Amino acid sequence: MATVRVGFIGLGAMGLPMAERLLRAGFPVVAVRHRDHRGPTALTAAGGRVVDTPAALAPLVDVVVTMLPSSREVEAVVTGEAGLEPDLRPGQVVLDMGTSDPAATRALAARLAPRGVDVVDAPVSGGVRGAVDGTLLIMVGGAPAAVARVRPILEALGSHLVHVGPVGAGHTLKLVNNHVALTTMAVLAEAMALVRAAGLSPTDALQALRHGSADSAMLRALAHRLQTRQFEPGFRIRLAHKDLTLVQRLADALGVSLRVGASARLILEEALARGQGERDIAALAADLDVS
């Protein structure tokens, strides 16, 4: 593993603990400087190296991991000014672990293929806690040989890997995952509004629902955040809205009607209009009294 040199772009809430886990697993890690200085500082303290641009990163590594908000940012670090593309060489892999547009992922793979560079999409589920603990679910799309090259990296980051198909398939499944998770989140916000309007204790209601047929990973996450009153951004509302917009785009392309998803997206749009875009999705229910 130590011979595989890993580049990392995106030292945010998820990216930093992932990069730190790779260091602890024995991978040399070189990251691109992040807009928030805390990430690069922490990575350097953990034994990593930081460079200023993707172009400076490309010659130093074998695999480039991107953990960025959308396909737009991924495309910018690959093909934009001071991007990776001119310095990529045959045998390298661009490993996109964010939630991106499957069509854009396939287009990037086609663009880099003549250079002998593979793209593997490996988005994750499990949140910041999963990134810290190395227990992420990783949904992988890509050519089998390319996936095999990056598997040791993925195994250091997640406890459950599933190779679901060719390039773009991982991002497609991640959108399906987020469709389920975010529509559930929207329903829970409405349910808690009912609880409060009925004069019930949100704390008691959440504890009860966790033991019945309404239980879910989202309910458990909501219960913990409400009870601890911790709404620091983990998964921001603006990113949740972006994801459901991508889900709708995928559904439109496939001719699938998503009426529940459209309703959930409307709830997120209303939260954006209230200026809550940078808050965690649990802020949909942040005004509840859970004392």
Side-chain angles (χ1 to χ4, degrees), residues 23-178:
L23 281 170
R24 291 195 296 271
F27 293 96
V29 176
V30 183
V32 172
R33 197 168 302 283
H34 193 263
R35 62 181 180 275
D36 185 338
H37 67 87
R38 291 173 294 182
T41 299
L43 189 74
T44 302
R49 177 181 172 187
V50 176
V51 296
D52 289 330
T53 66
L57 177 75
L60 304 176
V61 300
D62 305 302
V63 176
V64 179
V65 177
T66 60
M67 193 62 186
L68 296 167
S70 72
S71 297
R72 180 175 57 191
E73 288 84 1
V74 174
E75 183 175 353
V77 301
V78 176
T79 67
E81 184 179 356
L84 295 165
E85 187 175 25
D87 295 295
L88 291 173
R89 61 187 185 278
Q92 285 180 298
V93 179
V94 174
L95 178 57
D96 183 359
M97 300 193 73
T99 303
S100 297
D101 182 344
T105 302
R106 290 190 291 267
L108 182 63
R111 176 169 177 150
L112 296 183
R115 291 180 170 272
V117 175
D118 284 295
V119 172
V120 173
D121 49 309
V124 304
S125 180
V128 175
R129 186 74 262 164
V132 171
D133 295 340
T135 57
L136 295 168
L137 161 65
I138 306 179
M139 297 156 273
V140 187
V147 173
R149 291 204 297 277
V150 300
R151 181 171 288 274
I153 295 170
L154 300 178
E155 289 176 342
L157 298 172
S159 58
H160 189 70
L161 278 60
V162 54
H163 184 191
V164 294
V167 65
H171 282 144
T172 298
L173 186 58
K174 178 59 189 298
L175 293 182
V176 172
N177 176 86
N178 283 17

Side-chain angles (χ1 to χ4, degrees), residues 238-257:
R238 66 174 173 82
L239 294 179
H241 179 263
K242 179 267 297 183
D243 286 358
L244 284 187
T245 300
L246 287 178
V247 170
Q248 187 61 57
R249 187 181 303 167
L250 177 65
D252 290 344
L254 297 174
V256 177
S257 175

